[in-house]
Amino acid sequence: MRKGDFSEWAVFIAVAEEGSFTRAAAKLGLSQSALSYAVRMLEQRIGVRLISRTTRSLSLTEAGERLLTSLRPAFDHIDSEIAALTALRDKPAGTIRITTFRDAARTVLWPVLSKLLPNYPDITVEVHVDEGLTDIVADRFDAGIRMGEQVQKDMVAVRISPDVRMAVVGSPSYFADRPAPQTPRDLSEHRCASYRQNTGGGLYAWEFDKGGVELEVRVNGPLIFNDNEMLLHAAVDGLCLVYTFESQISQHLADGRLVRVLEDWCPPYSGYHLYYPSRRQHTAAFTLLVDALRYRA
């Protein structure tokens, strides 16, 4: 391999994954002209076009797709090996990228990070909050946090919380002129706020289970959100019922701003889990964070 070839491959991967010379330049800290020149020289050297360019779009050719598929695993391995060298330092160091959703970030991840990071100034944690099911391998995260039931079987899963529950809640003013639902089927008579899932864009069906009877209810109402905090505001303001995490409404229940219904239809789930690929070699910093997050009953 000629001198400079390695950087050309890295530039090509960045442009291909970002789908834009502008975003790739920002990611690598280089000028767009430098990236364009590097890709052009690479194409000339191997004798095939890798990227189709127009004034408004960029796409990989068939050759470009094949090259990216070949190069990505090799570069991932190199990145892992370089990161693993930080284990030889006196103190854990390096960057850890984690994807999670808001409730887990607030109730589980942040309490640990706020205590851990002041003692390890060489560790950087990038937290990506996403309510969808992010592909941590494709998007190059070190780990993700999801419900135990949502973790793929080929991942290492570490429990980081006790069981969690969902709750159906409304304000006292909402129930002032209407009866509380006694079964999930009664929700058809109520105004409910729906949650729009980022993955697929569908509306989330409220899930219930009692005595082995499982029900999924698609509710109706005046509001649809893709954010749990907005759901909470709608409930507190008396506009509708919402279905949300128990941890998000515990204080509101305690101070009387919300009233819980259908509690006996909301069983616990298996809690939050940190998950990551089993084949990846991990740094001392990552191992330290996993141990700090590990749930101990």
Side-chain angles (χ1 to χ4, degrees):
M1 182 178 288
R2 259 181 10 199
K3 182 179 180 180
D5 289 358
F6 187 88
S7 61
E8 289 178 354
W9 303 126
V11 165
F12 166 72
I13 290 174
V15 173
E17 291 187 334
E18 294 297 325
S20 162
F21 279 99
T22 302
R23 291 193 295 270
K27 179 179 180 179
L28 297 177
L30 299 172
S31 67
Q32 293 183 50
S33 59
L35 266 63
S36 181
Y37 177 79
V39 171
R40 189 164 62 252
M41 290 300 99
L42 177 61
E43 289 176 329
Q44 290 181 7
R45 185 158 56 78
I46 63 179
V48 295
R49 181 173 291 279
L50 302 172
I51 295 176
S52 295
R53 310 166 181 82
T54 68
T55 56
R56 294 187 177 182
S57 65
L58 176 155
S59 61
L60 295 181
T61 64
E62 182 181 355
E65 293 280 4
R66 291 183 60 181
L67 182 60
L68 180 64
T69 300
S70 299
L71 290 178
R72 182 71 273 164
F75 271 72
D76 282 343
H77 179 70
I78 292 171
D79 287 344
S80 296
E81 290 298 322
I82 291 174
L85 293 177
T86 61
L88 301 177
R89 295 170 54 125
D90 293 335
K91 294 183 178 180
T95 298
I96 304 167
R97 300 184 70 233
I98 297 177
T99 178
T100 181
F101 54 96
R102 183 170 284 108
D103 184 70
R106 180 177 63 86
T107 61
V108 180
L109 181 59
W110 179 245
V112 170
L113 292 182
S114 64
K115 295 178 181 178
L116 180 72
L117 293 182
N119 298 319
Y120 296 92
D122 295 328
I123 296 177
T124 299
V125 180
E126 178 181 344
V127 180
H128 179 78
V129 177
D130 182 2
E131 301 302 316
L133 297 178
T134 303
D135 185 334
I136 63 172
V137 175
D139 292 335
R140 305 189 68 196
F141 286 99
D142 295 294
I145 297 175
R146 292 291 181 265
M147 294 285 195
E149 293 86 351
Q150 296 174 321
V151 177
Q152 296 175 338
K153 299 302 182 183
D154 60 344
M155 294 284 174
V156 175
V158 178
R159 178 185 276 267
I160 61 174
S161 85
D163 289 346
V164 300
R165 295 180 72 192
M166 301 298 290
V168 180
V169 293
S171 71
S173 62
Y174 176 87
F175 290 114
D177 58 355
R178 52 174 63 88
Q182 300 302 308
T183 74
R185 294 184 177 87
D186 295 339
L187 292 171
S188 61
E189 305 298 323
H190 287 265
R191 295 162 62 85
C192 302
S194 295
Y195 178 79
R196 176 79 69 184
Q197 300 178 96
N198 292 330
T199 303
L203 295 181
Y204 179 70
W206 296 13
E207 298 175 285
F208 299 98
D209 187 341
K210 181 179 179 181
V213 177
E214 298 182 3
L215 294 175
E216 285 192 356
V217 178
R218 298 196 177 276
V219 297
N220 297 303
L223 292 166
I224 298 173
F225 297 110
N226 70 340
D227 180 82
N228 280 310
E229 289 189 7
M230 292 302 298
L231 287 174
L232 191 57
H233 286 307
V236 170
D237 290 341
L239 297 178
C240 48
L241 300 181
V242 303
Y243 182 78
T244 188
F245 292 104
E246 187 181 60
S247 59
Q248 288 191 314
I249 48 88
S250 57
Q251 187 58 48
H252 294 76
L253 293 177
D255 60 25
R257 282 185 289 172
L258 289 176
V259 176
R260 185 170 188 173
V261 296
L262 300 177
E263 183 173 0
D264 56 339
W265 280 91
C266 297
Y269 292 95
S270 63
Y272 297 129
H273 287 65
L274 184 82
Y275 65 98
Y276 51 89
S278 59
R279 64 180 180 276
R280 186 170 294 175
Q281 186 171 359
H282 300 293
T283 65
F286 183 82
T287 301
L288 178 72
L289 180 59
V290 172
D291 188 61
L293 285 168
R294 190 183 305 274
Y295 175 67
R296 297 169 176 84

